[in-house]
Amino acid sequence: MTTGEPLIVLDGVNKWFGPLHVLDDVSLSVGRGEVVVVIGPSGSGKSTLCRTINRLEPINSGTITFDGTPLPAEGKALAKLRSEVGMVFQSFNLFAHKTILENVTLGPVKVRGEKPAAARERGLALLDRVGIANQAEKYPAQLSGGQQQRAAIARALAMQPKAMLFDEPTSALDPEMVGEVLEVMTSLARDGMTMVVVTHEMGFARHAANRVIFMADGKLVEDAPPAEFFANPRSERAKDFLSKILTH
Ligand SMILES: Nc1ncnc2c1ncn2[C@@H]1O[C@H](COP(=O)(O)OP(=O)(O)O)[C@@H](O)[C@H]1O
Ligand SMILES: [Mg+2]
């Protein structure tokens, strides 16, 4: 696997919700193994950007390619894309009536056709990797928010994705649980996972990101390495945003 070669490429992407222009001529290339953090004010289109990449949202114009192929619109190819692009949301989205291990093994068995015993073994290894192997037989409600979010990450990883999208994965967590989730994400980044991460955790952006993208009003306003972005944001919008989030 070559680091740097483009894995996710958006070219001139536009997306409207009715009259609202939520993605305005967005072009972006994310290389293999690259970690891109997306920041910006509420309503700037960050979630929509993530959702277009695994085609939870269709786009109105422009192109998106993943691993060299335009995103498929439907059918088996779309299911394959969804398994190759893992997504972790703010709300943990675990199946409440399945155990943590079942949550992790369901996709591999049903979608990827893995043998249950093999899926179980791999699932346990993934739960171990995110530090919750001892919670495997519990139900989501019995876990803390931080543990549930780590289970959600393990579940996405169980599909052996080529990239992971994180949409504010720590925003719903109590403050004391943010660190344990960021730690898992940092270790994934270090292991070479391609990641697009929407977050307000500027520490993570500084230390784990290769690039920071600042969005406002559906546009990519800045795209720079974190050290450069934080030391010298070029646009007034980014300066204003940073002054607000770094002072509270
Ligand atoms: N399904 C939808 N239908 C209509 N408007 C939407 C929908 N989803 C998002 N929006 C609007 O699109 C804009 C961008 O939303 P979003 O991508 O969620 O922004 P962010 O994640 O940066 O807060 C917002 O104005 C939001 O209200
Ligand atoms: Mg959002």
Side-chain angles (χ1 to χ4, degrees):
M1 187 169 87
T2 333
T3 305
E5 149 203 351
L7 181 62
I8 304 167
V9 181
L10 287 81
D11 189 19
V13 169
N14 286 287
K15 166 82 183 169
W16 280 268
F17 283 119
L20 200 62
H21 201 177
V22 268
L23 294 178
D24 186 350
D25 196 26
V26 169
S27 295
L28 167 70
S29 173
V30 181
R32 266 180 221 281
E34 200 172 21
V35 177
V36 173
V37 162
V38 181
I39 65 174
S42 176
S44 57
K46 306 180 299 295
S47 294
T48 306
L49 175 74
C50 278
R51 292 166 60 82
T52 61
I53 295 173
N54 62 0
R55 219 172 186 285
L56 286 172
E57 290 291 353
I59 57 177
N60 296 105
S61 67
T63 57
I64 305 180
T65 60
F66 182 76
D67 206 8
T69 313
L71 295 195
E74 55 186 23
K76 269 193 182 159
L78 180 59
K80 179 164 178 279
L81 172 81
R82 296 259 167 84
S83 71
E84 288 180 343
V85 184
M87 181 134 184
V88 175
F89 302 88
Q90 181 173 331
S91 51
F92 321 125
N93 292 79
L94 295 167
F95 299 113
H97 302 291
K98 305 228 174 265
T99 67
I100 295 301
L101 183 59
E102 285 166 351
N103 265 279
V104 172
T105 56
L106 198 66
V109 172
K110 295 248 184 238
V111 180
R112 291 177 55 92
E114 281 183 32
K115 296 234 164 62
R120 195 184 151 82
E121 194 173 322
R122 234 164 38 74
L124 281 169
L126 283 167
L127 290 177
D128 189 45
R129 179 170 175 193
V130 302
I132 52 169
N134 54 352
Q135 311 294 323
E137 303 304 332
K138 291 191 185 162
Y139 288 87
Q142 297 174 283
L143 271 61
S144 72
Q147 290 171 326
Q148 288 186 58
Q149 194 58 305
R150 286 184 280 151
I153 294 172
R155 183 177 61 175
L157 291 175
M159 299 299 274
Q160 304 187 290
K162 292 178 180 167
M164 289 277 287
L165 311 175
F166 293 86
D167 190 3
E168 301 203 28
T170 61
S171 294
L173 297 176
D174 291 334
E176 74 270 25
M177 291 167 190
V178 169
E180 65 197 48
V181 172
L182 292 178
E183 234 170 77
V184 167
M185 292 166 58
T186 303
S187 104
L188 259 185
R190 247 187 243 126
D191 289 350
M193 178 60 77
T194 306
M195 294 164 59
V196 175
V197 183
V198 179
T199 185
H200 299 295
E201 294 294 332
M202 295 301 116
F204 179 83
R206 277 176 196 278
H207 298 119
N210 299 106
R211 279 154 67 201
V212 174
I213 281 171
F214 176 72
M215 283 187 79
D217 299 331
K219 296 187 186 73
L220 294 198
V221 178
E222 304 209 20
D223 179 348
E228 187 182 321
F229 176 76
F230 288 112
N232 188 24
R234 282 172 288 122
S235 63
E236 286 308 315
R237 291 297 298 266
K239 282 180 199 166
D240 182 52
F241 178 79
L242 284 177
S243 74
K244 281 183 185 134
I245 63 162
L246 296 176
T247 51
H248 71 221

